Amino acid sequence: MRLALVRSVCCRSRFAWLVLLRINMKRFSNVRTLFFAPIVLIGLGAPAGLAGQNECAGRTADIIRRAYPSATNADDGTLLFEGATLTLAKGDGVDGDPHAVICRVWPAQPQLTLIAVPLMTEQSDSENEGDIELLVVDSTNLQVRQRLRLDGLMSDDAFRVRSVAFDTARYQLAPKRTAFGLRVSRDGSSRANPFGETTLWLFSIEGDRLKPVLDNIVVGESQGEWDTVCAGEFSETTRTLSMVPSAKDTIADIVVTEKTRTSVNTVGTDNGCKSEDETTTRKYRLRYDGSGYGVPKDLKRVD
């Protein structure tokens, strides 16, 4: 499932894009040695639509007990449910644990609360396996209204899941139909081949069902290959989404604006590290086909 969608009217929000830092180099006058900072994949901060990822933490345990009445307590404080482990956050934050349950009141419909429950069947330093179940509950009585299990979304190996977050920017599909997003960020551990990406899914409520309408679009990606000193090539891609009226349907189209910056670093004759940058922009238009938005293969996460 791959993108960062944001309405053009919400451009004030900054999505947490993964950014490849430029190599900083200093050359001492009497020593022909290059000093550089290692490349790091970082986020630039979360937009308003990503704030408060565990704002209902005080009620999460009650919600989970209602949603999974047969769950049992484990010795380490987690819950066990049908062979899967559920981890509750200890406070208003998730302490950087991507496997902890997150909870957010939906700003577009505050009578509803969104829950993402990682159901982990295996956890280790080398590999994780698990699903995510999305719950939509009544904000007042905590009764589950809709639920949807996303198989394998928490499974990883070489590229580890680093964060899971709700994206509650106002994705207005139609006058009385708004979607919410789920973002999953992964990164690699190789210094020579740095990699990071954030993928977005969108969901809407249809009757008593929670339905995926945008599947697996990469909204931010950074990658590179270098000699760990200077020479190498790096790229950073960001994608933003605008909801625009459709000429043929009552459901809005999505215009995706893609911006890619490529940097090629080489060692010059003076031992300096030189960089040549190129930026390209491309647009895509995604149309609703009756069941969801088709996403081009090139924009999807590759598993």
Side-chain angles (χ1 to χ4, degrees):
M1 304 171 168
R2 250 180 165 192
L3 172 138
L5 301 162
V6 63
R7 299 184 62 197
S8 48
V9 297
C10 295
C11 60
R12 67 184 182 280
S13 296
R14 293 185 309 159
F15 281 94
W17 304 116
L18 291 170
V19 177
L20 192 64
L21 292 183
R22 304 285 297 273
I23 300 174
N24 296 312
M25 184 276 294
K26 178 180 179 182
R27 178 173 172 238
F28 288 131
S29 58
N30 58 344
V31 180
R32 296 177 63 83
T33 306
L34 296 177
F35 293 81
F36 54 88
I39 291 177
V40 181
L41 294 169
I42 64 171
L44 294 182
L50 297 179
Q53 287 303 314
N54 213 34
E55 63 187 13
C56 50
R59 303 197 298 170
T60 302
D62 289 339
I63 294 170
I64 294 302
R65 286 296 185 188
R66 289 172 181 267
Y68 305 93
S70 63
T72 58
N73 294 319
D75 294 337
D76 59 0
T78 60
L79 298 175
L80 301 178
F81 173 74
E82 296 182 354
T85 299
L86 288 73
T87 301
L88 299 181
K90 297 180 174 61
D92 292 336
V94 293
D95 299 322
D97 182 0
H99 303 133
V101 175
I102 60 173
C103 173
R104 176 145 169 74
V105 175
W106 191 0
Q109 301 187 60
Q111 73 276 17
L112 301 177
T113 295
L114 309 174
I115 317 290
V117 184
L119 298 166
M120 304 305 300
T121 54
E122 180 178 334
Q123 292 177 265
S124 70
D125 292 337
S126 59
E127 184 178 8
N128 295 289
E129 292 185 6
D131 307 332
I132 283 183
E133 187 160 32
L134 297 178
L135 309 176
V136 179
V137 307
D138 187 295
S139 297
T140 301
N141 60 27
L142 307 185
Q143 293 296 322
V144 177
R145 291 192 175 186
Q146 292 87 17
R147 63 198 306 163
L148 176 67
R149 187 154 175 166
L150 306 171
D151 295 341
L153 203 59
M154 293 301 296
S155 298
D156 60 29
D157 42 43
F159 301 134
R160 306 304 295 269
V161 173
R162 297 304 182 192
S163 68
V164 177
F166 282 115
D167 181 347
T168 53
R170 194 174 286 271
Y171 297 110
Q172 197 76 46
L173 307 182
K176 295 184 178 181
R177 187 178 175 191
T178 304
F180 68 86
L182 185 74
R183 298 160 56 92
V184 177
S185 296
R186 306 187 304 169
D187 63 45
S189 59
S190 171
R191 184 164 178 261
N193 299 96
F195 173 84
E197 70 175 8
T198 297
T199 307
L200 176 68
W201 291 259
L202 289 183
F203 306 89
S204 71
I205 295 173
E206 294 189 9
D208 60 354
R209 295 176 55 232
L210 185 58
K211 178 183 176 181
V213 292
L214 183 75
D215 177 57
N216 176 17
I217 186 166
V218 171
V219 292
E221 182 178 62
S222 294
Q223 58 186 315
E225 182 176 1
W226 68 314
D227 62 4
T228 72
V229 177
C230 171
E233 183 172 336
F234 314 94
S235 67
E236 172 200 344
T237 297
T238 60
R239 299 187 181 101
T240 59
L241 184 91
S242 298
M243 313 299 294
V244 298
S246 171
K248 298 181 179 180
D249 201 342
T250 58
I251 303 297
D253 289 348
I254 297 175
V255 172
V256 180
T257 301
E258 174 185 278
K259 184 177 180 180
T260 299
R261 186 182 71 198
T262 302
S263 298
V264 177
N265 291 348
T266 57
V267 179
T269 56
D270 60 351
N271 272 357
C273 193
K274 302 179 182 298
S275 178
E276 293 185 5
D277 298 341
E278 180 182 6
T279 299
T280 59
T281 301
R282 184 175 180 182
K283 289 183 181 291
Y284 303 83
R285 193 176 186 107
L286 311 183
R287 293 178 171 85
Y288 191 79
D289 64 6
S291 60
Y293 292 93
V295 179
K297 182 178 179 181
D298 290 347
L299 305 188
K300 286 194 171 190
R301 183 173 91 172
V302 179
D303 292 313

